[in-house]
Amino acid sequence: MAGASGNRILVTGALGQIGTELVEALRLQHGKDAVVASDVRDLPDHSCVTGGPYRHLSVIDANGFDKVVREEEIGTVYHLAAILSATGEKKPELCERINVGGTITVLEAARKHRLRVYAPSSIAVFGPDAPKHAPQVCSLNPTTIYGKTKVTGERLAMNYWKQYGVDVRGIRYPGLISYRSPAGGGTTDYAVDIFHAALENGHYDCFVKAETRLPMMYMDDAIRATIALMDAPIDSIGSARGGYNISGISFTAGELADAVAARVPDFTCDFRPDVRQEYADSWPDSIDDSMAQSDWHWKADYDLNALCDAMISGLKG
Ligand code: NAD
Ligand code: SER
């Protein structure tokens, strides 16, 4: 295997909900020139583009990917480019092509150039037969296309580690809540959209039922977890390397609406479930993250109150 091309960091899908904040955190940690943001979109005013090096790059263009890795002297890839669950169910072929095809592009480049890789998974790997408090290890039988691509991603990560020694790590993110970038077409988007709607219109039509409970997390915790996992010594990373469970907060859509109403006078919320209810119902309520706790000392900081306060003060600027 060739030696690592270099020491710089490449982030794919950098203009999305997570990339927007991860790029900034990595640039603070390593220096702005050390982190190359990339995406298939071009948004010239985006903070990732104005704040440091940026490359237009599709993760299904293997030759283009290889070229960027060589030219930019990349040693580590944070691979965030993907199609999320709600868009994925509408465009299943695209979802498979980007999520599985893109991951193979990254892992093949990693094998060739000896790159370290972060490739996130999701709570969507669990299916309706999994325990509602989801353990790290159980049968993974997702019913969404998106969930199936994430199970494949975890399997690929383990294969490349076992067969080629590629140091790939991942987290099964819960639904992530942040104010700096819109959510990207997922089922958990209601937990972001509700804050925007509350402050803009005083009302939100929520697309899942009030009693729908899902695992969620504030973005600051997710970014901290991502960097902690990648900074952990290699011998602390165990059999969950392809997708560590991490737990943040578990709340129902009704509890979230009540917490928003307690902070936004006269806020009202109606619950009008659509097709995304089915995807939400197939996922767990909460997550057992004892393996992340013991392997790399994971612990979330934000509870529902802290999350709501941070969202509202962030959106009010
Ligand atoms: P997002 O939809 O906000 O961003 C994804 C980015 O990927 C977008 O900017 C998009 O332009 C880009 N992209 C799409 N196709 C591409 C291609 N062919 N080449 C390069 N870029 C492409 O998603 P996100 O919320 O930032 O999610 C990032 C990762 O985290 C994904 O793997 C997702 O499955 C996972 N995840 C996210 C959440 C969440 O709640 N946000 C939860 C679980 C897992
Ligand atoms: N938040 C993501 C979604 O809803 C879960 O991976 O698609």
Side-chain angles (χ1 to χ4, degrees):
M1 209 185 319
S5 306
N7 291 318
R8 296 174 83 215
I9 293 169
L10 176 67
V11 181
T12 74
L15 305 186
Q17 190 195 5
I18 302 174
T20 298
E21 305 209 22
L22 183 63
V23 167
E24 185 177 310
L26 291 170
R27 282 179 176 160
L28 272 175
Q29 188 183 4
H30 299 278
K32 75 176 172 60
D33 291 329
V35 181
V36 181
S38 73
D39 202 288
V40 78
R41 292 186 285 165
D42 285 313
L43 301 175
D45 297 331
H46 193 284
S47 59
C48 289
V49 180
T50 57
Y54 178 77
R55 298 289 297 254
H56 177 98
L57 177 62
S58 171
V59 291
I60 52 174
D61 172 8
N63 291 334
F65 192 87
D66 219 60
K67 186 163 175 273
V68 168
V69 165
R70 281 185 280 105
E71 287 177 358
E72 301 288 351
E73 302 184 336
I74 300 301
T76 301
V77 179
Y78 287 78
H79 171 46
L80 304 180
I83 303 295
L84 272 67
S85 59
T87 309
E89 295 314 292
K90 282 189 207 142
K91 299 178 181 173
E93 295 83 11
L94 181 73
C95 183
E96 284 200 305
R97 197 144 50 91
I98 307 293
N99 295 10
V100 178
T103 300
I104 291 172
T105 299
V106 173
L107 293 175
E108 272 298 292
R111 183 173 67 82
K112 241 166 88 185
H113 300 289
R114 224 181 159 78
L115 310 174
R116 297 177 68 234
V117 176
Y118 176 73
S121 185
S122 163
I123 53 161
V125 293
F126 297 106
D129 60 339
K132 281 295 172 190
H133 184 60
Q136 179 68 49
V137 180
C138 68
S139 296
L140 300 178
N141 297 307
T143 45
T144 60
I145 295 290
Y146 170 74
K148 291 177 208 280
T149 68
K150 289 294 170 184
V151 173
T152 302
E154 289 193 13
R155 188 172 46 75
L156 285 166
M158 278 316 280
N159 288 353
Y160 273 75
W161 164 246
K162 284 186 178 156
Q163 290 177 15
Y164 307 117
V166 176
D167 183 5
V168 197
R169 306 178 186 190
I171 285 172
R172 291 172 179 159
Y173 289 131
L176 299 183
I177 302 174
S178 62
Y179 64 86
R180 294 187 50 213
S181 191
T187 301
T188 58
D189 291 15
Y190 65 88
V192 177
D193 298 345
I194 191 170
F195 290 96
H196 291 268
L199 294 177
E200 283 159 26
N201 316 317
H203 179 77
Y204 183 56
D205 282 330
C206 182
F207 59 75
V208 297
K209 294 181 202 157
E211 57 272 27
T212 307
R213 180 179 293 282
L214 283 175
M216 299 279 184
M217 179 174 283
Y218 188 55
M219 186 63 85
D220 285 20
D221 273 339
I223 299 297
R224 199 166 49 77
T226 304
I227 291 175
L229 173 63
M230 287 303 278
D231 287 351
I234 194 161
D235 55 10
S236 68
I237 304 301
S239 57
R241 65 162 46 245
Y244 273 97
N245 278 6
I246 61 168
S247 172
I249 321 163
S250 165
F251 52 77
T252 67
E255 288 164 355
L256 176 62
D258 290 345
V260 173
R263 290 163 174 81
V264 179
D266 302 325
F267 171 68
T268 55
C269 184
D270 289 333
F271 298 90
R272 303 179 193 282
D274 68 15
V275 65
R276 289 169 282 190
Q277 181 71 51
E278 196 186 309
Y279 317 148
D281 287 344
S282 73
W283 296 346
D285 293 352
S286 60
I287 297 291
D288 171 51
D289 65 1
S290 39
M291 233 181 229
Q293 288 180 39
S294 64
D295 286 3
W296 43 280
H297 315 298
W298 166 248
K299 190 175 179 314
D301 280 345
Y302 282 79
D303 62 13
L304 180 57
N305 283 323
L307 176 150
C308 289
D309 290 342
M311 284 299 288
I312 287 171
S313 70
L315 285 173
K316 282 183 171 169

